[in-house]
Amino acid sequence: GENVEQHPSTLSVQEGDSAVIKCTYSDSASNYFPWYKQELGKRPQLIIDIRSNVGEKKDQRIAVTLNKTAKHFSLHITETQPEDSAVYFCAAIPGAGSYQLTFGKGTKLSVIP
Amino acid sequence: DTAVSQTPKYLVTQMGNDKSIKCEQNLGHDTMYWYKQDSKKFLKIMFSYNNKELIINETVPNRFSPKSPDKAHLNLHINSLELGDSAVYFCASSQGRGNYGYTFGSGTRLTVV
């Protein structure tokens, strides 16, 4: 099955700086890569996603890039704010027919005011 | 109008008891999931139902039994609770394979004492 590795496990940045979280996946047939943000005590919420036919996607201060050849994708957050502090999960859905979204182990992002 | 609702939000119970968690979604999705989030925040799939049919049944003790009476509901019954069952259990739903994202419920924090 799919295996998703996520790094780093913790990340501290100064407010206003950028944060980058990286993930790799194992199944070359995977075609959908969402990112979820989970604030303390809350549910995971989808913040951005990318499909395998696209290399980059942006939504205001967040962007995701995908390198299908290397089988890795990254989340970029610019101009970080204290409210960006949360645990971020990358995920991947394996090839055709699979219903299983496999998550990375999460990155705890702390934005220091 | 909550999209995916779980009850109860908190559950404290003694070892050996049997308990149930209920989940309902009003998004019209046809696929529902149970995920377990342990103390290290790792999100692990347990079960998935598509149109009331069990499609994912991960390596979970058979003390855990899901039940989907219709595609809007997915319940989880746990027999003979053990200390190691303490975790947050999230219900989620998606349309089809989930390659338009999952919507998570608010979670049930189960504590076994």
Side-chain angles (χ1 to χ4, degrees), chain A residues 31-32 34 36 38 40-46 49 51 87 89 93-106, chain B residues 2 4 9 31 33 35 37 40-43 45 48 50 55-56 58 90 96-106 109:
Chain A
N31 56 16
Y32 176 65
Y36 286 81
Q38 186 179 25
L40 190 62
K42 302 276 183 73
R43 74 190 77 193
Q45 291 198 294
L46 179 68
D49 55 15
R51 300 180 194 285
V87 178
F89 293 94
I93 286 188
S98 174
Y99 282 76
Q100 184 168 333
L101 190 63
T102 299
F103 286 87
K105 292 193 174 182
Chain B
T2 305
V4 181
K9 190 167 175 63
T31 309
Y33 311 81
Y35 275 83
Q37 186 170 48
K40 295 184 178 179
K41 301 296 185 185
F42 183 49
L43 281 161
I45 183 78
S48 177
N50 174 254
I55 54 170
I56 295 173
E58 287 295 295
F90 284 100
R97 295 177 57 236
N99 50 355
Y100 289 92
Y102 284 16
T103 301
F104 282 86
S106 57
R109 181 173 293 277

Side-chain angles (χ1 to χ4, degrees), chain B residues 30-81:
Chain B
D30 59 4
T31 309
M32 296 185 72
Y33 311 81
W34 279 112
Y35 275 83
K36 179 181 180 180
Q37 186 170 48
D38 60 24
S39 57
K40 295 184 178 179
K41 301 296 185 185
F42 183 49
L43 281 161
K44 183 169 171 49
I45 183 78
M46 298 175 69
F47 302 104
S48 177
Y49 275 76
N50 174 254
N51 283 316
K52 301 194 297 175
E53 181 185 348
L54 181 66
I55 54 170
I56 295 173
N57 185 359
E58 287 295 295
T59 307
V60 174
N62 57 15
R63 299 181 294 103
F64 290 79
S65 53
K67 190 164 288 187
S68 181
D70 55 60
K71 70 177 190 177
H73 295 84
L74 179 61
N75 304 323
L76 183 66
H77 188 76
I78 315 169
N79 289 326
S80 303
L81 278 154

Side-chain angles (χ1 to χ4, degrees), chain A residues 47-48 57-64:
Chain A
I47 56 171
I48 195 167
K57 184 176 178 180
K58 286 184 179 180
D59 183 3
Q60 300 183 335
R61 295 187 298 106
I62 60 174
V64 58

